[in-house]
Structures are given as C-alpha cells and as structure tokens.
Amino acid sequence: MTSSSTQAVPDTPQIPRHIAVIMDGNGRWATKRFLPRVAGHKKGVETVREMVRNCAELGVEYLTLFAFSSENWRRPKEEVSLLMRLFISVLENEVSRLNENGIRLRVVGDLSAFDPALQKAIATAEHKTAANTKLCLTIAANYGGRWDVLQAMRRLLVEQPGLTPEQVTEEAFVRYLCMADAPEPDLFIRTGGEKRISNFLLWQLAYTELYFTDTFWPDFDRNALHQAILSYQQRERRFGRTSAQVQAESAAVSAQAAC
Ligand code: IPE
Ligand code: IPE
Ligand code: MG
C-alpha cells in the first residue's frame, strides 16, 4: 500500500484513483428474466468489459473487482463449477485485448484452491500483462478479507520471526496484504441492493467512501458509474478532522496554486 489513511491524511483526487467493486445481483438479474443464473454471470462479464474501458478512459488507475468470495464455495456445486469455467474462458479470451489496451491484470485470493489449469491460466495472464501501466485491474477470486489479514500475519511471522511486538507496525504488516502495491480504494461500489461488505477488503476499506446501488451488476452501465463517481465527488473526506479544518486546508491549497 503506498500510503495509509490512518497514518497520514491522503490525497483526495476528484476522479478516484482506486475503485473497488462488489459485483452483486447477477443471479437476480437473470431470475427476473426467467433465465438461469448463469445467464446473469455471462451478462456480468460484458459489464466488466465495459467497466474496465470506462475506468481506463476516466483515468482511474486501479480497479478491483470481487469475482468469487471465500464463502461462495457454499453455493450449489453446479453454479461453482459454471463460475470456474466462465473464469477460465474469460481469461483465455480477454487477456490479449487487455494487453492491447495497456491494462495490467492481477488476481488475488487463495488461488491454491483452484484447479491447476486455472492457476496456470492466471499466472500466464499476469505475466503477459505485467508491464502495462494504463490501469491495474485486480480480480479478487477465492478472496476473503479475513483470510487476507491472516495470511499477511503468517507471512510476516515466517519472514521476520525476530520482530518484537513493538516492531509489528502498520508499515511492517501491510506489505504482506494482497493489495500491498495499490493505494487504498477511494470509492467502494456495491451493486444489487445489499448494504454489506461481505468479507471484501476489510483492512483496505478503513476510510473508503461507500456507495450502494440497487442496480444489478449486469445493468451497471457507464451512466451508473458516473452516478457513483458524482456521489463520491460530493463527499467531504475528513479522515478524522473537522469540516472547518478540511475547508481551511483546501483554501490554502487553492491560494498556493494561484501564486
Ligand atoms: C454476484 O452475483 C456474482 C457472484 C457472487 C459470483 P450473485 O450471483 O450473488 O447474484 P445474486 O445476489 O444472487 O442476485
Ligand atoms: C459477494 O456477493 C461476493 C461477490 C460479488 C463475488 P455475494 O452475493 O456472495 O454476497 P452475500 O453472500 O449476499 O453477502
Ligand atoms: Mg449475491
């Protein structure tokens, strides 16, 4: 993580640098149309494609999408295996296009639970796009926020066994989290009407602006994204300070820029 919102007040860009999304509502989108749930997941892939394009155009630097949670294994076996197959086919079909558009792909989560063929497809896609800088697209798959914190703590203990409790600082710890290379999300979006975090980026969302919409993920178009960003732009990000302090600081920044 490049800077910590609890250690120092971060910049507050007009266009979020990092957007994190829980893409929810695929199943209900399909059911409403008397279609099988998988039709919603397939349509959801189209929305992902469009979302990536729109974010790249707007200058968003990091887009993190929750595709499969550590709790989603509880779903019926058929749905889980359909989702896995869809994931493989998306990786195979989309990576060249991502690469042509300068997009870097990363997949975070406990990948050891996936089929070896899927693990290989992920490694190949990450390798192929590693040098791209236009937008970093991270897919969270078999990801859980609690798992992330635990795996980070375990790696810290293994790699730095001599640390005293006082040496276990935020700085020492966060380098082991899955999203260590990205800034904390500025904007979190959850589609599909539920107002919960569902074990997504628990550590990283500490000061993220939260946006919930009833729109199902397959319907989340460019206009819906603009609405979310507009809502974000109307927030006052105080990070613990008072409103008067925030306003005084932004007046001082504007005055300095005018000199
Ligand atoms: C989100 O849509 C996609 C995944 C969790 C894989 P859902 O499948 O949860 O759709 P709903 O919530 O049942 O409508
Ligand atoms: C959260 O959606 C996970 C993903 C979008 C991948 P769910 O639909 O699984 O969340 P819950 O179970 O309703 O909280
Ligand atoms: Mg859901």
Side-chain angles (χ1 to χ4, degrees):
M1 224 169 284
T2 46
S3 80
S4 158
S5 57
T6 43
Q7 299 293 297
V9 176
D11 288 340
T12 51
Q14 274 291 96
I15 294 293
R17 264 187 93 190
H18 183 176
I19 301 183
V21 188
I22 297 189
M23 310 181 287
D24 198 17
N26 291 352
R28 281 165 287 158
W29 180 92
T31 305
K32 218 175 92 183
R33 288 164 177 75
F34 306 102
L35 294 168
R37 289 175 58 86
V38 65
H41 296 314
K42 286 187 177 157
K43 183 78 174 136
V45 173
E46 287 177 33
T47 307
V48 169
R49 209 176 284 136
E50 209 186 307
M51 179 78 172
V52 170
R53 193 171 48 236
N54 289 331
C55 284
E57 262 175 42
L58 285 166
V60 173
E61 293 172 48
Y62 298 85
L63 174 63
T64 303
L65 304 176
F66 205 6
F68 192 87
S69 75
S70 41
E71 290 69 45
N72 285 144
W73 296 105
R74 296 171 180 160
R75 292 192 177 199
K77 246 183 30 219
E78 306 73 55
E79 179 161 342
V80 170
S81 91
L82 270 166
L83 283 167
M84 293 300 150
R85 267 182 280 152
L86 191 61
F87 196 14
I88 294 204
S89 88
V90 168
L91 279 176
E92 283 170 353
N93 298 325
E94 302 289 328
V95 172
S96 301
R97 195 199 318 240
L98 291 176
N99 208 19
E100 280 158 26
N101 292 314
I103 290 158
R104 177 175 185 192
L105 179 72
R106 293 194 61 228
V107 181
V108 297
D110 183 3
L111 306 185
S112 67
F114 291 141
D115 186 81
L118 181 50
Q119 290 186 41
K120 188 150 177 268
I122 290 170
T124 308
E126 286 189 331
H127 181 72
K128 200 166 166 184
T129 62
N132 294 339
T133 54
K134 174 80 185 148
L135 168 78
C136 181
L137 169 64
T138 303
I139 305 292
N142 193 23
Y143 177 86
R146 290 186 180 178
W147 166 84
D148 194 6
V149 170
L150 279 178
Q151 68 79 28
M153 187 49 80
R154 287 185 189 128
R155 279 172 56 204
L156 173 80
L157 290 172
V158 169
E159 288 184 25
Q160 302 187 60
L163 286 190
T164 62
E166 294 70 32
Q167 286 171 323
V168 183
T169 57
E170 255 201 43
E171 215 184 358
F173 172 72
V174 293
R175 356 189 327 238
Y176 296 98
L177 290 169
C178 285
M179 300 298 294
D181 297 333
E184 294 172 26
D186 298 295
L187 173 62
F188 160 96
I189 299 172
R190 182 172 188 145
T191 61
E194 311 299 352
K195 291 176 184 63
R196 54 180 174 252
I197 305 291
S198 298
N199 198 16
F200 195 23
L201 303 162
L202 297 180
W203 177 283
Q204 296 85 345
L205 294 174
Y207 262 112
T208 301
E209 296 300 327
L210 307 179
Y211 179 82
F212 298 93
T213 171
D214 289 337
T215 304
F216 293 139
W217 176 250
D219 291 327
F220 191 82
D221 57 12
R222 188 186 176 83
N223 183 41
L225 173 63
H226 288 176
Q227 293 294 322
I229 293 178
L230 202 64
S231 166
Y232 161 84
Q233 289 171 339
Q234 286 160 357
R235 315 277 178 96
E236 183 176 60
R237 304 190 72 191
R238 291 194 285 276
F239 299 100
R241 298 165 299 169
T242 66
S243 187
Q245 285 176 296
V246 176
Q247 281 163 28
E249 193 166 305
S250 73
V253 170
S254 312
Q256 212 170 29
C259 291

